[in-house]
Amino acid sequence: MARVLIVGAGVTGSLCAALLRRQTSRPLYLAVWDKAEDSGGRMTTASSPHNPQCTADLGAQYITCTLHYAKKHQRFYDELLAHGILRPLTSPIEGMVMKAGDCNFVAPQGISSIIKHYLKESGAEVYFRHHVTQINLRNDKWEVSKQTGPPEQFDLIVLTMPVPQILQLQGDITNLISECQRQQLEAVSYSSRYALGLFYEAGTKIDVPWAGQYITSNPCIRFVSIDNKKRNIESSEIGPSLVIHTTVPFGVTYLEHSIEDVQELIFQQLENILPGLPQPIATKCQKWRHSQVTNAAANCPGQMTLHHKPFLACGGDGFTQSNFDGCITSALCVLEALKNYI
């Protein structure tokens, strides 16, 4: 039985796992490792420590599907809509730029429910707090080391974490990346920003006419969302949640500052936008060091194969573009490259 490891439990990794399971007739052991404490990657949904039903999307806020991808990736959208994982975005978002033919979707159970769906479909063994540090070649297999615990062996590996994290890996992998590939990988760049989730008690009223708003006049805050209102799941039993995304310049400037200091700065600016907000009962501040791809790997259609036998490839939005369709494209390209080896 082939042992397959997918590193990264975001959209690309989870979809690779699901597609691999669906398209492979032979039995295989499929593992997904992620260094975080839960799945989602940059499509993460945080929960209030006081009520797990009070949630906030700290990464992607909604999914925009263009006419082109509505046709090209129709089966993926149809599946998620049929399962109730996606629904059309009907709540008002002020300042949203809509192009002709675009369709926007929200995830009522939180944006990470997309990833959880694909991981469940894959039947993979999913492990969190598994931070990969080294990849070495041992007798035509990959030996993968992590920060804690013994190394494990695999026949095939797919890396889907942000490209700078791939370049930080130690071991034989450093010699397997050609000079040309290294230059392509080093040229991949990302924007940085912070996201702040605020959780409120049941019955709290946040009286604004919108569910989300793009802010253009603030040096710190770019987007604010009443998250449960955005997802159309308002309830008298569950408190509202608020999500704030910072501007990229703010994110870059304060990237190495403490989360506490950054959170305080965001609160100060939020008072200018929404004066007199009630006190939240919990907060969650998330640093997105690798937020959105600003420069993808050149001449790499969706993936980069680093080694053929045993197979090792990397994928993700660093090889396409930073949105749901970019991740689907990458997962399909990884599967195409991998099918000769499985």
Side-chain angles (χ1 to χ4, degrees):
M1 189 188 293
R3 288 174 56 84
V4 181
L5 173 65
I6 295 171
V7 184
V11 184
T12 308
S14 63
L15 185 52
C16 275
L19 292 173
L20 193 54
R21 183 68 75 192
R22 288 172 192 173
Q23 295 178 19
T24 309
S25 52
R26 61 178 277 197
L28 54 90
Y29 170 80
L30 187 52
V32 177
W33 290 5
D34 199 290
K35 67 185 178 74
E37 295 187 7
D38 201 355
S39 59
R42 282 165 283 162
M43 280 191 167
T44 190
T45 304
S47 299
S48 165
H50 303 283
N51 182 353
Q53 289 178 291
C54 180
T55 57
D57 289 333
L58 293 184
Q61 293 296 299
Y62 51 86
I63 287 172
T64 300
C65 178
T66 62
L67 269 175
H68 170 73
Y69 285 115
K71 293 193 186 99
K72 192 173 180 184
H73 293 157
Q74 183 183 350
R75 63 184 168 118
F76 297 98
Y77 285 100
D78 285 352
E79 177 190 338
L80 295 172
L81 286 162
H83 281 85
I85 293 162
L86 287 185
R87 275 192 205 145
L89 168 64
T90 55
S91 308
I93 309 286
E94 287 188 2
M96 181 200 283
V97 178
M98 287 285 287
K99 297 190 181 114
D102 281 4
C103 198
N104 293 305
F105 298 100
V106 286
Q109 295 99 34
I111 203 83
S112 70
S113 61
I114 298 168
I115 286 84
K116 288 175 168 53
H117 167 74
Y118 288 139
L119 289 175
K120 187 180 174 188
E121 287 285 301
S122 76
E125 301 271 346
V126 184
Y127 295 94
F128 301 115
R129 294 181 287 277
H130 273 46
H131 189 161
V132 175
T133 53
Q134 281 195 43
I135 298 178
N136 290 294
L137 263 175
R138 295 278 186 271
N139 306 319
D140 292 331
K141 290 186 188 297
W142 297 114
E143 186 179 84
V144 185
S145 303
K146 48 193 186 298
Q147 274 185 352
T148 54
E152 294 185 40
Q153 290 203 336
F154 294 92
D155 301 292
L156 299 94
I157 298 178
V158 178
L159 305 172
T160 69
M161 64 275 228
V163 170
Q165 294 175 7
I166 294 170
L167 289 167
Q168 286 169 0
L169 293 171
Q170 301 294 306
D172 294 339
I173 186 172
T174 56
N175 304 318
L176 299 173
I177 301 173
S178 71
E179 192 50 45
C180 174
Q181 287 175 327
R182 187 170 293 281
Q183 285 174 5
Q184 287 170 295
L185 293 173
E186 286 173 348
V188 177
S189 58
Y190 295 77
S191 61
S192 301
R193 69 176 77 232
Y194 285 87
L196 177 62
L198 308 179
F199 303 98
Y200 294 90
E201 276 182 314
T204 305
K205 292 276 181 281
I206 300 172
D207 197 17
V208 291
W210 40 262
Q213 187 181 51
Y214 284 92
I215 314 286
T216 54
S217 55
N218 190 284
C220 166
I221 295 173
R222 179 70 182 104
F223 181 77
V224 180
S225 165
I226 317 295
D227 210 51
N228 52 319
K229 192 173 176 181
K230 176 199 77 184
R231 291 187 265 142
N232 220 8
I233 54 161
E234 290 173 288
S235 157
S236 57
E237 278 113 64
I238 303 163
S241 57
L242 200 71
V243 172
I244 301 102
H245 277 194
T246 73
T247 63
V248 170
F250 177 90
V252 171
T253 302
Y254 292 97
L255 195 59
E256 305 307 336
H257 287 237
S258 76
I259 289 283
E260 293 76 21
D261 288 352
V262 169
Q263 186 166 304
E264 186 53 42
L265 290 168
I266 297 171
F267 267 122
Q268 287 169 14
Q269 293 296 330
L270 187 61
E271 180 62 27
N272 298 328
I273 295 163
L274 292 171
L277 264 182
Q279 273 295 110
I281 53 169
T283 63
K284 168 75 175 169
C285 192
Q286 173 77 45
K287 179 197 292 188
W288 294 118
R289 184 180 292 275
H290 306 115
S291 176
Q292 288 177 299
V293 175
T294 50
N295 192 46
N299 309 316
C300 297
Q303 63 88 32
M304 182 186 280
T305 301
L306 301 179
H307 199 267
H308 291 278
K309 286 190 176 177
F311 183 82
L312 172 63
C314 36
D317 60 351
F319 302 89
T320 51
Q321 76 264 3
S322 266
N323 55 27
F324 183 53
D325 288 295
C327 294
I328 294 175
T329 300
S330 179
L332 291 170
C333 291
V334 168
L335 259 286
E336 190 59 33
L338 197 148
K339 69 180 185 187
N340 299 325
Y341 301 95
I342 200 77

